[in-house]
Amino acid sequence: MKLTLSWLKDHLDTDEPLDKLADKLTMIGLEVEGIADKAKALAPFTIARVLTAGKHPNADKLQVCTVDTGDGAAPVQVVCGAPNARAGLVTVFAPPGTYIPAKDFTLGIGNIRGVESRGMLCSAAELQISDDHDGIIELPADAPVGAAYAAWAGLGDPVLD
């Protein structure tokens, strides 16, 4: 049986941390086999806006984008191969140092065909939240740039199995 932490707290009056709740459930005979916490896994991913998207000088299917990450710093340059990358698009951004779950690697500052890339614009498949890998995630234009994606998308409720 799977249940969310919020559902459990609707039925129990407790402020115990998740790991202690899981231990107590197991102690009373309800074995917790695992906890899926998407918010924790997706913590570094934020909402960003693509400011510009232009043709890569050395590749037909890549674009060089400038991206407002919402952190108050200057826009960052990102090389992107998604067919739907375009100026004005609000999407999900991963800065260097972010672990990409579906690719099983940690993102660094890259040089893609001679152009520096300081992050990644992500598909839902790369975040392991769906099988959609046809392009980067498209969010509503009013999504708050700079906000944590997982919290905004409602992925912050851990699931106990």
Side-chain angles (χ1 to χ4, degrees):
M1 174 172 72
K2 292 185 181 188
L3 52 104
T4 63
L5 179 60
S6 64
W7 182 87
L8 186 61
K9 286 190 172 189
D10 284 346
H11 298 282
L12 293 175
D13 184 22
T14 182
D15 289 325
E16 289 287 336
L18 179 58
D19 58 337
K20 286 190 179 187
L21 278 175
D23 288 343
K24 288 185 180 190
L25 286 170
T26 299
M27 287 173 37
I28 64 168
L30 301 171
E31 184 179 351
V32 176
E33 293 180 6
I35 300 171
D37 190 352
K38 287 285 187 190
K40 185 176 179 181
L42 301 178
F45 297 88
T46 60
I47 298 172
R49 181 180 315 277
V50 178
L51 301 174
T52 64
K55 186 177 175 338
H56 190 291
N58 302 317
D60 292 337
K61 294 185 179 185
L62 297 176
Q63 295 188 68
V64 180
C65 302
T66 55
V67 178
D68 175 7
T69 61
D71 63 1
V76 297
Q77 181 171 279
V78 176
V79 175
C80 182
N84 63 331
R86 62 186 181 280
L89 178 68
V90 178
T91 188
V92 178
F93 172 75
T98 301
Y99 176 74
I100 309 299
K103 302 287 186 183
D104 192 28
F105 76 92
T106 299
L107 188 62
I109 296 173
N111 189 310
I112 302 171
R113 295 210 177 172
V115 176
E116 184 177 73
S117 185
R118 295 187 160 269
M120 180 176 176
L121 303 177
C122 303
S123 73
E126 289 162 335
L127 302 184
Q128 294 183 326
I129 56 175
S130 90
D131 293 332
D132 184 8
H133 59 83
D134 292 335
I136 55 178
I137 296 171
E138 295 195 30
L139 301 177
D142 64 349
V145 173
Y149 172 68
W152 178 86
L155 301 172
D157 199 2
V159 176
L160 292 91
D161 187 6

